[in-house]
Amino acid sequence: MKVLVTGATGYIGSAVTDHLAAAGHQVVALTRGAEPRPGRTWQAQVVGDTADPGSLAGAVTPDIEAVIHLAPPSGDADVDSAAVEALAAPLRGTGRPFVYTSGIWVLGATGAAQEVGEDAPTHPIDIVGYRPQIEQQVLAGTADGIRAVVVRPGIVYGRGGGIPAILVDRARQGGVPEYYGEEGVRWPTVHVDDLAELFVAAVERAEAGTVWHGVGESAVPVRDLARAAGRAAGVLAAPHTVPVEQAADVFGAPFAEALALDQSVSGAAARTALGWRPRRPGAVAELTSGSYRPVEVFGAPDGPATDVDVAAIRALVAEVEHAQQHELVDRFLSLFRREDPVWTTGHGKRLSGFEEIAAFTQKVLPGATADGTAVYDVERVLFLRPDVAAVNVRQQPVRHDGTRIADRPEGRPFYIVVKEDGAWRVGAAQNTVAVD
Ligand SMILES: NC(=O)c1ccc[n+]([C@@H]2O[C@H](COP(=O)([O-])OP(=O)(O)OC[C@H]3O[C@@H](n4cnc5c(N)ncnc54)[C@H](OP(=O)(O)O)[C@@H]3O)[C@@H](O)[C@H]2O)c1
């Protein structure tokens, strides 16, 4: 399909255009300026400004087979309504899809209700006050022969961006992770690449007049997100909550209210009816060991194939951490290569071969975390060959609540990891205590 996308240069729009192109669609990006944007996954660019609906006349040419409207609201209901009218009108009577991006904040606080679905009434908070009206305007296009669809994303994360990146920046600036409002606030979340796949599914097969929640995890405690954001910022401290009034001084009252909103929202309908399969790591895992904490990579070309390998190596090290923290002997051992692995411990004890490593692990891991554990962060990956990499890890001692134990030294694990049968495993490992 030839798809016109507004907001194509944005956070969600960039992922949506990537996934549309990967699915074989042709993207026409509507941008505010005419300057070319090299490296983008679109075929053509048209100029238009959704805050100036008159500029949109002619953007939806007869060859456009679908529109995805991702540009944000202007703050003026009449302007946004006129923009929707300008973009949707040319599709009348064609049965072609018009996908409007709203958001789960239109539902308001969901309170005790668990996993609220698309049939729930809207109770918009101030920041999205008139958005339900725009949703209704879009859906009314069904009667005029438009395949009108609304997607309401949760809090979007991944690719190092979105609102979670604000948590990371705040933790870095303030030296302590923070979140907003009540202690138990939860956010429904979605990975930006999973969400982009939902947009592709919506354009390809959502029925006219339907609303979809783009939600991968229905209710993630924001305290956990803040702790993980602290980890991404290199701040191993207990998160603290900031009262909404105080957050309003930083973010403005409407956004502060949104950040403090407690919601539990279901994304099940899209899975069932559209076959949507969110499959990226969850928001906490992504913050802890994914795109929010860049890794230095050497010896491999920039590109998606290297990204996949680096992500898999980071996932392997995250597994090492998990197995250590939970004293999971078998899981820990499964991360080693079977054939002749070697491990030199932080105290210089050399273990040669799988059997020696297994015997040692069985002896020392149970009970090892009684007075604390450690976090493991990948800092540098050197590809020696496409299937062999040297990995520098930073190991920091922490209490069970994730806060740093200040008087214990860090470790500097060094792993040689090997890719066999598509899976990365540890072939050789050495740990060294870091003494200043
Ligand atoms: N991020 C989230 O967690 C989230 C959650 C739920 C809903 N949403 C909704 O999803 C949509 C996209 O969000 P996002 O996070 O991707 O936003 P974003 O990163 O700020 O991107 C906004 C995009 O819209 C374009 N744009 C802004 N004003 C425009 C205008 N007047 N005319 C034409 N294009 C304009 C920007 O283009 P330029 O390059 O010209 O700036 C950019 O491409 C928004 O409607 C947002 O409310 C986002």
Side-chain angles (χ1 to χ4, degrees):
M1 264 188 248
K2 194 168 198 176
V3 188
L4 181 86
V5 180
T6 73
T9 57
Y11 176 49
I12 301 173
S14 300
V16 168
T17 57
D18 288 351
H19 285 269
L20 283 169
H25 300 293
Q26 293 170 281
V27 176
V28 178
L30 182 130
T31 56
R32 282 190 280 191
E35 70 277 12
R37 320 277 178 118
R40 295 282 178 170
T41 44
W42 62 54
Q43 294 216 330
Q45 204 174 332
V46 292
V47 175
D49 184 339
T50 53
D52 172 16
S55 72
L56 304 174
V60 183
T61 46
D63 56 331
I64 295 293
E65 293 161 288
V67 173
I68 298 181
H69 186 16
L70 272 158
S74 66
D76 181 322
D78 292 338
V79 169
D80 291 3
S81 172
V84 164
E85 170 63 20
L87 292 168
L91 302 181
R92 288 199 179 112
T94 65
R96 291 177 175 178
F98 181 90
V99 181
Y100 172 69
T101 314
S102 178
I104 50 156
W105 289 340
V106 297
L107 296 165
T110 57
Q114 292 299 311
E115 305 211 0
V116 164
E118 287 82 349
D119 52 354
T122 54
H123 294 291
I125 56 172
D126 282 355
I127 199 167
V128 291
Y130 62 82
R131 253 186 162 175
Q133 287 160 241
I134 306 288
E135 287 186 354
Q136 289 309 315
Q137 177 192 349
V138 168
L139 295 171
T142 302
D144 299 327
I146 299 172
R147 184 151 66 83
V149 177
V150 170
V151 174
R152 293 179 184 152
I155 302 292
V156 189
Y157 67 92
R159 299 194 181 197
I163 290 173
I166 296 174
L167 298 183
V168 177
D169 285 345
R170 294 287 303 168
R172 191 174 290 124
Q173 285 163 21
V176 58
E178 63 180 35
Y179 61 108
Y180 311 97
E182 302 292 321
E183 171 90 28
V185 166
R186 300 156 303 163
W187 289 350
T189 59
V190 64
H191 192 288
V192 67
D193 287 281
D194 287 329
L195 177 64
E197 287 171 356
L198 175 61
F199 274 95
V200 174
V203 138
E204 289 178 347
R205 50 187 182 276
E207 286 184 13
T210 52
V211 178
W212 306 97
H213 288 166
V215 170
E217 295 175 290
S218 56
V220 182
V222 184
R223 189 182 163 78
D224 293 350
L225 292 172
R227 186 183 294 106
R231 173 96 179 260
V235 177
L236 299 178
H240 82 118
T241 180
V242 175
V244 184
E245 307 73 46
Q246 217 174 307
D249 292 340
V250 180
F251 301 111
F255 191 38
E257 181 192 16
L259 293 173
L261 193 64
D262 180 42
Q263 294 190 300
S264 173
V265 175
S266 171
R271 289 167 170 84
T272 311
L274 298 179
W276 181 48
R277 294 280 168 269
R279 61 197 162 89
R280 276 47 182 213
V284 169
E286 183 73 16
L287 278 159
T288 305
S289 58
S291 54
Y292 294 84
R293 194 180 174 117
V295 168
E296 287 187 284
V297 178
F298 302 89
D302 284 348
T306 301
D307 292 347
V308 167
D309 279 324
V310 171
I313 290 168
R314 297 180 83 167
L316 174 70
V317 174
E319 282 278 306
V320 169
E321 174 184 296
H322 181 81
Q324 292 274 353
Q325 289 186 348
H326 297 86
E327 300 181 3
L328 306 174
V329 172
D330 290 343
R331 184 112 165 233
F332 181 71
L333 292 172
S334 73
L335 307 174
F336 280 87
R337 191 168 179 256
R338 278 267 158 183
E339 201 181 323
D340 303 325
V342 59
W343 173 20
T344 306
T345 70
H347 303 290
K349 185 176 177 62
R350 185 184 299 138
L351 305 162
S352 293
F354 192 83
E355 297 311 321
E356 262 188 51
I357 292 174
F360 180 78
T361 304
Q362 271 144 13
K363 198 169 88 186
V364 304
L365 189 53
T369 65
D371 63 346
T373 179
V375 294
Y376 294 68
D377 291 309
V378 175
E379 296 197 315
R380 189 179 188 275
V381 177
L382 165 64
F383 286 93
L384 301 164
R385 285 193 341 205
D387 56 347
V388 179
V391 184
N392 289 112
V393 176
R394 180 179 182 191
Q395 178 198 39
Q396 298 179 80
V398 292
R399 297 179 192 85
H400 292 287
D401 66 1
T403 58
R404 179 78 168 82
I405 303 173
D407 57 0
R408 272 193 217 162
E410 294 188 12
R412 294 280 182 271
F414 178 66
Y415 302 145
I416 299 290
V417 297
V418 185
K419 189 180 186 180
E420 287 168 341
D421 301 326
W424 287 93
R425 290 212 171 69
V426 179
Q430 166 134 18
N431 198 1
T432 307
V433 174
V435 183
D436 286 337

